[in-house]
Amino acid sequence: YTDLSQSGDQISPEAGGTASITSTHFLKADNREHYTLTSLAAAKYGKFPWLHHHAWMARVSGQYVDRDISVSNYDASLSSTTSLPPGTQAYLMRGYVTGAFLGKSIANGSLEYRFPMFRIDRGSDYAPIFFKRLSGAIVTDVIGLEGYQYDVTREPKLYRRVTSWQAFGNAGAELKLDVTLGYHLEFQIILGA
């Protein structure tokens, strides 16, 4: 289900949401494992009525596997979801490398406050590049899982087992610059801390 609304000068959807639930049963064949994977992804967007184009986003996603499976079938966390469409199943943990968390059963959530900063609307006289606007976001992510976490705090740096739904979190800020390159290619440069 998707019901999102974004138009004009909005830097983010300001109304609506997405939701999906799936259950996939993997049958035993040859050397393949036999298990059922159930997953959920949902996001809700809203605006602050007293601030022009200031928006919030709350997102949850998760999966549950009904039995022990090999690590090769675990799902991994991502450090950014910029290339994924809204409502896509993804486990976002900004500030960690992609694959820092591997899990057979995972619960993940994010909260964001998104705000416009200023319009640039300037290009170059000599190059086909146009800078449109700068916006920001205050973000937080949390993940709980049964699986593995890539531990960079101890030597040697390696994956360590996570049992009984240990949780990890982060908080930070992002600057987003909207750019048009070559007159038609629109993209966003994101700087986060």
Side-chain angles (χ1 to χ4, degrees):
Y1 171 81
T2 299
D3 178 22
L4 292 177
S5 172
Q6 179 179 354
S7 62
D9 269 351
Q10 295 176 350
I11 60 168
S12 163
E14 294 182 7
T18 66
S20 70
I21 186 165
T22 61
S23 182
T24 307
H25 186 68
F26 294 90
L27 299 175
K28 186 165 185 66
D30 300 328
N31 293 334
R32 297 187 186 105
E33 293 179 292
H34 169 74
Y35 62 97
T36 300
L37 167 71
T38 304
S39 62
L40 164 79
K44 179 69 178 156
Y45 297 83
K47 64 180 178 177
F48 292 98
W50 58 90
L51 297 169
H52 192 59
H53 294 311
H54 287 237
W56 58 268
M57 187 271 304
R59 186 188 56 78
V60 294
S61 60
Q63 73 178 30
Y64 173 76
V65 174
D66 66 341
R67 62 187 64 187
D68 287 332
I69 58 174
S70 63
V71 175
S72 62
N73 288 323
Y74 282 22
D75 212 341
S77 63
L78 299 174
S79 61
S80 172
T81 60
T82 55
S83 61
L84 297 175
T88 302
Q89 185 73 21
Y91 305 107
L92 179 62
M93 284 301 290
R94 289 167 277 216
Y96 292 89
V97 297
T98 293
F101 300 96
L102 302 173
K104 78 169 190 144
S105 296
I106 303 171
N108 180 229
S110 297
L111 287 173
E112 294 185 19
Y113 163 54
R114 301 170 177 181
F115 52 93
M117 296 176 76
F118 57 87
R119 294 217 48 107
I120 301 169
D121 291 331
R122 294 189 193 256
S124 169
D125 290 339
Y126 304 105
I129 187 166
F130 187 79
F131 300 99
K132 295 194 292 189
R133 63 182 167 205
L134 185 67
S135 62
I138 297 171
V139 301
T140 185
D141 306 308
V142 66
I143 193 168
L145 72 149
E146 184 179 345
Y148 294 89
Q149 181 239 349
Y150 187 67
D151 190 354
V152 297
T153 61
R154 294 185 272 175
E155 289 295 332
K157 296 177 175 120
L158 49 83
Y159 280 97
R160 303 204 189 279
R161 183 99 171 122
V162 175
T163 57
S164 67
W165 287 92
Q166 187 174 353
F168 302 86
N170 66 34
E174 294 179 340
L175 287 175
K176 299 177 182 182
L177 176 63
D178 293 326
V179 178
T180 302
L181 185 64
Y183 305 109
H184 300 288
L185 179 63
E186 295 189 20
F187 64 98
Q188 195 171 61
I189 299 170
I190 300 173
L191 177 63

